[in-house]
Amino acid sequence: MANESQEMYLKTILLLHLKNKPARSIDVANELGYSKASVSRALGLLKDEGYVTVEQGGTIVFTDEGRAKALDVYDRYVFLRDALLRLGVDEETAHEDACKMEHVVSDITLKKLKDFVLS
């Protein structure tokens, strides 16, 4: 099971893929503002967990499990951000809070929030 840090990396890699940008260690480091060494260490853990592989040229590729986890984290973020915006929270705060909440909200609470917000 991915921890908060791993989820953040997975989401960042997914966002790079969605922007049709290469997802290499340096791209992830630039996107997050982290050192390449930190990103390399994190990618090693993601590889060990079976979430990603790294191709010959350095491109990061999701495994099926990694893509599913990244999409789950991203979907949580989008829903929480949009729900906060609907409540009148400003964009920057909604983004920052959703980034934090996506990692800690339980599946049960998220389902109840979705039922409430979307009804």
Side-chain angles (χ1 to χ4, degrees):
M1 174 172 282
N3 62 35
E4 182 176 336
S5 175
Q6 291 171 324
E7 288 179 351
M8 181 193 57
Y9 280 100
L10 291 170
K11 185 175 89 171
T12 300
I13 295 164
L14 177 67
L15 291 172
L16 287 167
H17 286 181
L18 292 175
K19 294 176 187 175
N20 291 320
K21 293 184 177 179
R24 297 167 297 157
S25 293
I26 190 68
D27 303 307
V28 174
N30 290 338
E31 192 75 19
L32 293 172
Y34 293 168
S35 72
K36 191 165 185 298
S38 294
V39 173
S40 292
R41 213 173 10 256
L43 283 176
L45 293 172
L46 291 175
K47 286 188 334 190
D48 291 347
E49 293 288 327
Y51 291 125
V52 300
T53 61
V54 180
E55 294 181 340
Q56 184 82 14
T59 302
I60 304 163
V61 179
F62 284 118
T63 63
D64 290 342
E65 183 181 0
R67 177 170 284 288
K69 184 63 180 173
L71 286 169
D72 177 62
V73 174
Y74 181 67
D75 289 344
R76 286 170 169 261
Y77 163 76
V78 169
F79 169 76
L80 291 165
R81 181 203 61 204
D82 291 351
L84 293 170
L85 289 170
R86 286 182 69 189
L87 290 171
V89 176
D90 66 271
E91 263 188 65
E92 184 177 342
T93 303
H95 165 71
E96 290 173 7
D97 288 350
C99 280
K100 295 172 192 166
M101 294 167 66
E102 71 194 17
H103 305 291
V104 296
V105 67
S106 70
D107 291 340
I108 294 167
T109 300
L110 187 65
K111 182 183 179 333
K112 294 292 185 181
L113 282 169
K114 284 183 176 181
D115 291 345
F116 179 76
V117 171
L118 301 175
S119 65

